[in-house]
Amino acid sequence: MPNAPDLEKLKSVLDGIATRYAGEAERGDVADYIPELADVSLNHFGIAVAPLQGAPLLAGDAEVAFSIQSISKVFGLTVALERVGATLWRRVGREPSGDPFNSIVQLESERGKPRNPFINPGAIVVADVILGNAKPGDPEEPVLDLCRYLAEDPSITVDEAVFQSEVATGHRNRALAYFMQAEGNLEGEVPEVVKSYFRQCSIAMSCRQLAMAGRFLAAGGQGAAADHAAVTPERARRINALMMTCGCYDASGEVAFRIGLPCKSGVGGGILAIAPGIAAIAAWCPGLDDKGNSRLALAAIEELSREMGWSVF
Ligand code: DON
């Protein structure tokens, strides 16, 4: 049920969070396995909330672009579902993994079928599906194209330095892809498929842009973005369910317990959260906890959800 938030209260909660978190000492550590991400200052903190209608509300560094990393898996999944519909689920599962995002352990015992589309092997299969089902006239970078459309901002780009850094160091992702190829669950060539996966991870967006891009999920696939063929109510419902159960890797249960909203995190320190029927939220601070989720972004969304009464439970 659409539910317009009290904007005055929301603004004051966001300002309070941004002021307190600017001075927070315990910020976690930046991801350093992708060298380019290690250079980002821990001091950043930004948050944006995009209600179903009207302009987003911003606080802190909400206009500073950061690497969306695994949050791109939400938009990749949206494109793949548009291209192949429910047949996607023959190649990717829908269960939480309980393992780190780049783990290969389950992939071996489960014969190359990733548990869900939000762990790395799942997103690599999704990238393969997107590449293998392109039609003439489709955009060259469909995930980037969808982000631009949803955020209503054609200026969004791939951060080429982050992309090069991922190509240079992404051996584990290539290993996951080769393993799936050996099991018959990859149609394209590994270098091409992982390149496409690395490019979507390297999309740079601000909290404002990300909250706008996530708004179709809060709107249940209706509203302004519904003109796009990829956006449907059923798809939005399914993606929200997967974000709730699998969006923060082996911390997904803890995040559902603490926050009670569908969330998707990335090692760039961003988190996209959805308050269904109300708003999309994007928070960013580059410092991560031991599961790879942004420490302060999670804490901020927890506080916001509590203050505004947005938990779905
Ligand atoms: O493939 C990787 O390792 C990164 N491009 C993305 C990982 C990521 O964001 C996982 N997130 N928490």
Side-chain angles (χ1 to χ4, degrees):
M1 211 39 169
N3 181 0
D6 174 343
L7 294 182
E8 219 166 287
K9 176 174 178 190
L10 178 55
K11 181 74 183 123
S12 119
V13 171
L14 292 177
D15 287 343
I17 290 173
T19 306
R20 267 178 290 113
Y21 286 32
E24 171 64 48
E26 290 291 316
R27 304 180 87 82
D29 301 305
V30 286
D32 55 7
Y33 77 102
I34 300 170
E36 203 65 27
L37 297 183
D39 294 338
V40 182
S41 166
L42 265 181
N43 292 329
H44 289 296
F45 174 83
I47 188 162
V49 174
L52 300 196
Q53 264 107 37
L57 280 75
L58 314 179
D61 295 330
E63 297 274 19
V64 179
F66 60 90
S67 190
I68 67 168
Q69 291 294 316
S70 283
I71 303 170
S72 67
K73 290 169 180 161
V74 170
F75 306 109
L77 174 61
T78 310
V79 174
L81 287 172
E82 179 197 357
R83 292 204 174 173
V84 300
T87 59
L88 176 71
W89 307 117
R90 294 186 196 143
R91 296 179 56 192
V92 191
R94 305 190 292 252
E95 291 294 342
S97 73
D99 274 340
F101 59 84
N102 54 7
S103 172
I104 201 164
V105 175
Q106 269 168 358
L107 205 53
E108 175 153 30
S109 58
E110 296 178 7
R111 305 302 310 265
K113 181 175 177 180
R115 274 283 175 103
N116 67 67
F118 292 159
I119 49 174
N120 287 10
I124 292 168
V125 169
V126 165
D128 185 44
V129 165
I130 294 173
L131 277 174
N133 291 279
K135 295 183 300 303
D138 280 343
E140 202 176 322
E141 303 210 64
V143 179
L144 174 63
D145 193 72
L146 180 64
C147 289
R148 287 174 171 167
Y149 176 86
L150 294 171
E152 300 171 18
D153 193 338
S155 74
I156 295 169
T157 51
V158 167
D159 182 326
E160 296 293 336
V162 171
F163 168 65
Q164 292 303 340
S165 196
E166 294 215 43
V167 172
T169 58
H171 311 304
R172 207 176 167 97
N173 285 316
R174 282 186 281 272
L176 292 166
Y178 279 116
F179 188 82
M180 291 191 290
Q181 187 178 47
E183 291 288 353
N185 197 14
L186 208 77
E187 288 171 358
E189 288 308 315
V190 169
E192 196 196 353
V193 177
V194 296
K195 176 184 166 197
S196 167
Y197 166 70
F198 291 148
R199 282 196 76 74
Q200 71 170 56
C201 289
S202 306
I203 293 171
M205 287 167 88
S206 66
C207 289
R208 178 178 58 75
Q209 292 165 331
L210 189 55
M212 286 294 287
R215 203 158 67 155
F216 79 104
L217 294 168
Q222 291 166 339
D227 288 346
H228 197 286
V231 173
T232 69
E234 172 170 326
R235 213 163 279 156
R237 196 166 62 244
R238 303 293 196 209
I239 294 169
N240 277 322
L242 287 164
M243 288 171 72
M244 179 70 90
T245 51
C246 313
C248 293
Y249 314 104
D250 44 335
S252 298
E254 179 67 16
V255 170
F257 184 86
R258 276 173 55 189
I259 298 178
L261 298 176
C263 290
K264 182 73 204 82
S265 67
V267 294
I271 299 183
L272 172 65
I274 305 301
I278 305 170
I281 305 150
W284 171 56
C285 174
L288 308 181
D289 63 19
D290 57 353
K291 303 281 169 110
N293 297 310
S294 170
R295 199 178 133 76
L296 292 193
L298 266 188
I301 296 169
E302 180 178 12
E303 212 173 302
L304 177 67
S305 164
R306 191 178 55 239
E307 289 289 324
M308 300 301 293
W310 283 352
S311 166
V312 300
F313 299 113

